[in-house]
């Protein structure tokens, strides 16, 4: 959407401080979009790269502020090829020795076809396939392919520790529902949402994360989580029921969009 951008918006409109969300999960996002670091015994997994003009400040700078070594990042996983989430991908590829950059297959194709890409074009690397597990010692994420928002959207299941206790998370990689789709498009979107809802339920996820604050209040919850008192529960922990309700709402909204499209 920002291909014709002449200059980035002023820093004070988007910059926020990073925060420790759980024992080994860190928020590196900005006001509207999220990036997270999952820290394991043998490395770090980064989720998302934000806009090209934010990545140095929020992701690299955020890790520095939190005392995390960016050179320990083994995987940088992009949920999908839209510039608000992957604009900084080429920067990460250049800045981190040996990092594996991960996209869904169709979104790698989109990256390769793209022109006029602010932040530059990353070099094709690892494909995130359904069920693939990326491990960094005692932490790992499992990929769930979720075609819909884009053809190669990736979502994730992962466990972190919070006050020493396991906390299971489902991360929805493609949230926004476009209103100009075909019936077949909406059917696929709903099928993907049901697939991830089932995977999350089977996994026992009690936290739902996304990459847009408008869908999960992530930026606000991250601040709350980072500043809570010892023993306070994690604001991201909404229980299995809360996670299930999110998917029900998404599916209902998609059905509504499908009905609206049919009338047009």
């Amino acid at each position: 959407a920002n291909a014709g951008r002449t200059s980035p918006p002023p820093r004070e409109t988007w910059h926020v401080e990073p925060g420790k969300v759980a024992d080994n999960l860190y928020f590196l996002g900005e006001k509207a979009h999220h990036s997270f670091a999952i820290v394991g015994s043998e490395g770090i997994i980064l989720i998302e790269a934000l806009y090209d003009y934010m990545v140095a400040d929020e992701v690299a700078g955020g890790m520095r502020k939190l005392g995390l070594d960016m050179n320990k990042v083994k995987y940088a996983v992009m949920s999908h090829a839209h510039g608000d989430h992957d604009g900084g991908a080429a920067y990460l590829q250049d800045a981190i020795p040996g990092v594996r950059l991960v996209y869904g297959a169709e979104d790698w194709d989109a990256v390769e076809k793209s022109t006029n890409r602010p932040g530059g074009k990353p070099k094709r690397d690892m494909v995130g396939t359904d069920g693939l597990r990326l491990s960094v010692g005692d932490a790992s994420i499992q990929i769930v392919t979720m075609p819909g928002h884009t053809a190669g959207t990736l979502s994730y299941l992962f466990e972190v520790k919070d006050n020493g206790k396991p906390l299971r998370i489902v991360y929805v990689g493609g949230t926004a529902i476009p209103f100009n789709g075909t019936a077949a498009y909406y059917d696929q979107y709903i099928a993907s949402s049901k697939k991830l809802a089932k995977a999350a339920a089977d996994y026992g996820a009690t936290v739902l994360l996304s990459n847009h604050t408008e869908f999960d209040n992530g930026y606000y919850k991250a601040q709350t989580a980072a500043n809570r008192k010892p023993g306070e529960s994690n604001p991201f922990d909404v229980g299995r029921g809360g996670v299930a309700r999110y998917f029900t709402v998404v599916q209902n909204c998609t059905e509504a969009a499908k009905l609206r499209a049919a009338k047009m």
Side-chain angles (χ1 to χ4, degrees):
N2 64 331
R5 191 186 76 228
T6 46
S7 62
R11 183 177 184 269
E12 63 271 14
T13 62
W14 48 265
H15 171 73
V16 297
E17 291 300 297
K20 184 175 180 175
V21 171
D23 300 354
N24 62 326
L25 180 67
Y26 298 84
F27 177 85
L28 303 168
E30 47 97 26
K31 279 179 185 161
H33 304 86
H34 309 155
S35 172
F36 290 94
I38 306 163
V39 179
S41 54
E42 291 170 28
I44 297 171
I45 298 169
L46 271 183
I47 298 178
E48 317 294 18
L50 306 174
Y51 278 117
D52 60 293
Y53 56 84
M54 297 173 172
V55 65
D57 203 340
E58 305 297 69
V59 181
M63 288 185 76
R64 246 193 329 274
K65 282 179 186 159
L66 294 166
L68 301 175
D69 180 359
M70 195 149 114
N71 291 329
K72 290 194 173 145
V73 174
K74 298 275 196 296
Y75 301 101
V77 192
M78 304 295 115
S79 62
H80 62 281
H82 284 164
D84 48 348
H85 308 296
D86 81 326
Y91 172 93
L92 295 176
Q93 214 175 30
D94 292 342
I96 306 166
V99 71
R100 301 302 307 270
L101 183 61
V102 185
Y103 282 89
E106 298 85 352
D107 282 31
W108 266 127
D109 296 343
V111 166
E112 295 202 312
K113 289 192 188 87
S114 66
T115 53
N116 186 21
R117 223 188 110 97
K121 190 184 289 201
K123 293 181 287 295
R124 192 176 188 110
D125 187 13
M126 194 170 180
V127 172
T129 52
D130 203 40
L132 178 69
R133 186 181 293 277
L134 305 172
S135 298
V136 284
D138 60 2
S140 65
I141 72 171
Q142 184 183 330
I143 288 175
V144 181
T145 53
M146 195 187 185
H149 185 70
T150 65
T153 295
L154 304 179
S155 292
Y156 324 113
L157 301 169
F158 60 91
E159 185 178 283
V160 297
K161 291 281 198 293
D162 191 48
N163 291 323
K165 293 195 285 289
L167 191 60
R168 292 202 153 185
I169 296 172
V170 56
Y171 182 106
V172 185
T175 37
I177 304 163
F179 292 115
N180 57 354
T182 60
Y185 171 87
Y186 292 122
D187 286 342
Q188 183 194 46
Y189 197 104
I190 291 166
S192 282
S193 181
K194 286 182 171 166
K195 172 188 174 183
L196 187 61
K198 182 182 183 323
D202 291 349
Y203 187 60
T206 64
V207 172
L208 184 121
L209 292 182
S210 85
N211 43 28
H212 280 266
T213 284
E214 65 185 295
F215 295 108
D216 65 0
N217 286 328
Y219 156 57
Y220 304 104
K221 284 183 176 175
Q223 303 300 312
T224 306
N227 296 314
R228 67 197 147 129
K229 294 179 182 66
E232 281 184 358
S233 66
N234 198 306
F236 283 102
D237 193 351
V238 296
R240 289 175 187 224
V243 170
R245 279 193 295 279
Y246 166 86
F247 289 107
T248 304
V249 169
V250 166
Q251 287 151 29
N252 290 342
C253 290
T254 314
E255 289 286 0
K258 182 181 166 183
L259 291 170
R260 184 191 305 187
K263 288 197 179 71
M264 283 160 106

